[in-house]
Short mmCIF file of all heavy atoms in Angstrom, two decimals:
data_model
loop_
_atom_site.label_atom_id
_atom_site.label_comp_id
_atom_site.label_asym_id
_atom_site.label_seq_id
_atom_site.Cartn_x
_atom_site.Cartn_y
_atom_site.Cartn_z
N LEU A 161 81.29 -180.87 -59.32
CA LEU A 161 82.53 -180.03 -59.34
C LEU A 161 82.41 -178.83 -58.38
O LEU A 161 83.37 -178.52 -57.67
CB LEU A 161 82.83 -179.61 -60.73
CG LEU A 161 84.16 -178.84 -60.96
CD1 LEU A 161 85.37 -179.67 -60.59
CD2 LEU A 161 84.27 -178.38 -62.41
N LYS A 162 81.20 -178.17 -58.39
CA LYS A 162 80.97 -177.05 -57.51
C LYS A 162 81.11 -177.53 -56.08
O LYS A 162 81.70 -176.78 -55.18
CB LYS A 162 79.67 -176.47 -57.86
CG LYS A 162 79.41 -175.14 -57.03
CD LYS A 162 78.07 -174.59 -57.50
CE LYS A 162 77.83 -173.28 -56.74
NZ LYS A 162 76.48 -172.68 -57.13
N ALA A 163 80.45 -178.67 -55.74
CA ALA A 163 80.50 -179.19 -54.35
C ALA A 163 81.94 -179.54 -53.93
O ALA A 163 82.38 -179.25 -52.86
CB ALA A 163 79.57 -180.37 -54.27
N LYS A 164 82.64 -180.16 -54.88
CA LYS A 164 84.02 -180.53 -54.60
C LYS A 164 84.91 -179.28 -54.30
O LYS A 164 85.73 -179.26 -53.45
CB LYS A 164 84.62 -181.30 -55.78
CG LYS A 164 86.00 -181.78 -55.60
CD LYS A 164 86.44 -182.62 -56.75
CE LYS A 164 87.94 -183.11 -56.63
NZ LYS A 164 88.40 -183.91 -57.79
N ASN A 165 84.62 -178.25 -55.12
CA ASN A 165 85.33 -177.01 -54.93
C ASN A 165 85.02 -176.39 -53.53
O ASN A 165 85.90 -175.76 -52.87
CB ASN A 165 85.05 -176.03 -56.00
CG ASN A 165 85.57 -176.46 -57.33
OD1 ASN A 165 86.55 -177.20 -57.43
ND2 ASN A 165 84.99 -175.96 -58.46
N LYS A 166 83.69 -176.48 -53.14
CA LYS A 166 83.34 -176.00 -51.82
C LYS A 166 84.05 -176.75 -50.71
O LYS A 166 84.50 -176.18 -49.74
CB LYS A 166 81.80 -176.08 -51.61
CG LYS A 166 81.07 -175.01 -52.43
CD LYS A 166 79.63 -175.07 -52.10
CE LYS A 166 78.87 -173.95 -52.84
NZ LYS A 166 77.39 -173.95 -52.56
N VAL A 167 84.07 -178.06 -50.84
CA VAL A 167 84.84 -178.89 -49.82
C VAL A 167 86.32 -178.53 -49.77
O VAL A 167 86.88 -178.35 -48.70
CB VAL A 167 84.63 -180.42 -50.13
CG1 VAL A 167 85.53 -181.23 -49.24
CG2 VAL A 167 83.16 -180.85 -50.01
N ALA A 168 86.85 -178.41 -51.00
CA ALA A 168 88.27 -177.98 -51.01
C ALA A 168 88.49 -176.64 -50.36
O ALA A 168 89.49 -176.40 -49.62
CB ALA A 168 88.76 -178.04 -52.46
N GLU A 169 87.51 -175.72 -50.60
CA GLU A 169 87.63 -174.37 -50.03
C GLU A 169 87.55 -174.48 -48.50
O GLU A 169 88.30 -173.80 -47.76
CB GLU A 169 86.56 -173.50 -50.62
CG GLU A 169 86.61 -172.04 -50.16
CD GLU A 169 85.50 -171.24 -50.76
OE1 GLU A 169 84.71 -171.73 -51.54
OE2 GLU A 169 85.44 -170.04 -50.39
N ALA A 170 86.50 -175.27 -47.95
CA ALA A 170 86.36 -175.42 -46.55
C ALA A 170 87.60 -176.06 -45.89
O ALA A 170 88.07 -175.60 -44.87
CB ALA A 170 85.14 -176.28 -46.26
N GLN A 171 88.13 -177.05 -46.59
CA GLN A 171 89.38 -177.66 -46.08
C GLN A 171 90.53 -176.66 -46.03
O GLN A 171 91.32 -176.66 -45.08
CB GLN A 171 89.74 -178.92 -46.90
CG GLN A 171 88.75 -180.05 -46.73
CD GLN A 171 89.11 -181.21 -47.65
OE1 GLN A 171 89.91 -181.08 -48.56
NE2 GLN A 171 88.49 -182.40 -47.42
N ALA A 172 90.61 -175.92 -47.10
CA ALA A 172 91.67 -174.87 -47.13
C ALA A 172 91.51 -173.87 -46.01
O ALA A 172 92.46 -173.51 -45.33
CB ALA A 172 91.70 -174.20 -48.45
N ASN A 173 90.24 -173.44 -45.79
CA ASN A 173 89.97 -172.47 -44.71
C ASN A 173 90.32 -173.07 -43.38
O ASN A 173 90.88 -172.36 -42.51
CB ASN A 173 88.54 -172.02 -44.77
CG ASN A 173 88.25 -171.17 -45.96
OD1 ASN A 173 89.12 -170.52 -46.54
ND2 ASN A 173 86.99 -171.15 -46.39
N ALA A 174 89.92 -174.32 -43.14
CA ALA A 174 90.22 -175.00 -41.91
C ALA A 174 91.78 -175.10 -41.69
O ALA A 174 92.28 -174.89 -40.56
CB ALA A 174 89.57 -176.40 -41.82
N THR A 175 92.41 -175.45 -42.72
CA THR A 175 93.91 -175.58 -42.65
C THR A 175 94.49 -174.24 -42.26
O THR A 175 95.45 -174.12 -41.51
CB THR A 175 94.51 -176.09 -43.95
OG1 THR A 175 93.87 -177.30 -44.31
CG2 THR A 175 96.01 -176.20 -43.93
N ILE A 176 93.96 -173.20 -42.90
CA ILE A 176 94.48 -171.80 -42.58
C ILE A 176 94.19 -171.48 -41.14
O ILE A 176 95.12 -170.97 -40.44
CB ILE A 176 93.82 -170.77 -43.48
CG1 ILE A 176 94.25 -171.02 -44.96
CG2 ILE A 176 94.10 -169.41 -43.08
CD1 ILE A 176 93.48 -170.13 -45.98
N LYS A 177 93.01 -171.79 -40.60
CA LYS A 177 92.65 -171.49 -39.19
C LYS A 177 93.58 -172.28 -38.27
O LYS A 177 94.05 -171.80 -37.26
CB LYS A 177 91.23 -171.80 -38.91
CG LYS A 177 90.28 -170.77 -39.61
CD LYS A 177 88.82 -171.10 -39.29
CE LYS A 177 87.90 -170.09 -40.01
NZ LYS A 177 86.46 -170.39 -39.73
N ILE A 178 93.81 -173.59 -38.59
CA ILE A 178 94.65 -174.42 -37.77
C ILE A 178 96.05 -173.88 -37.72
O ILE A 178 96.71 -173.76 -36.71
CB ILE A 178 94.60 -175.87 -38.24
CG1 ILE A 178 93.26 -176.50 -38.01
CG2 ILE A 178 95.71 -176.71 -37.56
CD1 ILE A 178 93.12 -177.86 -38.65
N ALA A 179 96.50 -173.45 -38.91
CA ALA A 179 97.85 -172.90 -38.99
C ALA A 179 97.94 -171.65 -38.23
O ALA A 179 98.95 -171.37 -37.51
CB ALA A 179 98.21 -172.68 -40.51
N GLU A 180 96.90 -170.81 -38.28
CA GLU A 180 96.90 -169.54 -37.52
C GLU A 180 96.90 -169.81 -36.02
O GLU A 180 97.59 -169.13 -35.26
CB GLU A 180 95.67 -168.70 -37.95
CG GLU A 180 95.81 -168.13 -39.37
CD GLU A 180 94.53 -167.38 -39.72
OE1 GLU A 180 93.51 -167.47 -38.99
OE2 GLU A 180 94.54 -166.68 -40.78
N ALA A 181 96.02 -170.79 -35.58
CA ALA A 181 95.98 -171.14 -34.16
C ALA A 181 97.28 -171.68 -33.68
O ALA A 181 97.76 -171.33 -32.59
CB ALA A 181 94.86 -172.08 -33.90
N LYS A 182 97.84 -172.60 -34.48
CA LYS A 182 99.16 -173.13 -34.16
C LYS A 182 100.21 -172.03 -34.03
O LYS A 182 101.08 -172.04 -33.15
CB LYS A 182 99.56 -174.18 -35.17
CG LYS A 182 100.81 -174.91 -34.82
CD LYS A 182 101.09 -175.99 -35.86
CE LYS A 182 102.40 -176.72 -35.56
NZ LYS A 182 102.69 -177.79 -36.57
N GLY A 183 100.19 -171.11 -34.93
CA GLY A 183 101.11 -170.06 -34.93
C GLY A 183 100.93 -169.16 -33.69
O GLY A 183 101.97 -168.73 -33.05
N GLU A 184 99.69 -168.85 -33.34
CA GLU A 184 99.45 -168.09 -32.13
C GLU A 184 99.91 -168.87 -30.90
O GLU A 184 100.51 -168.25 -30.00
CB GLU A 184 97.97 -167.75 -32.00
CG GLU A 184 97.44 -166.80 -33.07
CD GLU A 184 95.99 -166.55 -33.02
OE1 GLU A 184 95.31 -167.20 -32.11
OE2 GLU A 184 95.45 -165.81 -33.82
N ALA A 185 99.67 -170.17 -30.79
CA ALA A 185 100.06 -170.92 -29.66
C ALA A 185 101.58 -170.98 -29.58
O ALA A 185 102.14 -170.79 -28.47
CB ALA A 185 99.55 -172.41 -29.78
N GLU A 186 102.22 -171.14 -30.68
CA GLU A 186 103.73 -171.16 -30.62
C GLU A 186 104.27 -169.77 -30.26
O GLU A 186 105.23 -169.65 -29.57
CB GLU A 186 104.25 -171.54 -32.06
CG GLU A 186 103.97 -173.06 -32.32
CD GLU A 186 104.47 -173.40 -33.73
OE1 GLU A 186 104.84 -172.44 -34.48
OE2 GLU A 186 104.49 -174.58 -34.08
N ALA A 187 103.56 -168.72 -30.74
CA ALA A 187 103.93 -167.38 -30.37
C ALA A 187 103.82 -167.14 -28.83
O ALA A 187 104.71 -166.56 -28.19
CB ALA A 187 103.19 -166.34 -31.14
#
């Protein structure tokens, strides 16, 4: 469960970074 939570956290962080990069590119 702890490993699954870490994977979910990493995926969430990656999604946030992609969203931020996409937002910067669009800007």
Side-chain angles (χ1 to χ4, degrees):
L161 183 60
K162 186 177 181 180
K164 183 178 180 180
N165 291 337
K166 286 185 177 181
V167 171
E169 182 180 1
Q171 291 176 346
N173 292 334
T175 301
I176 292 173
K177 291 181 179 179
I178 292 173
E180 290 176 348
K182 185 177 180 181
E184 292 177 358
E186 291 178 352

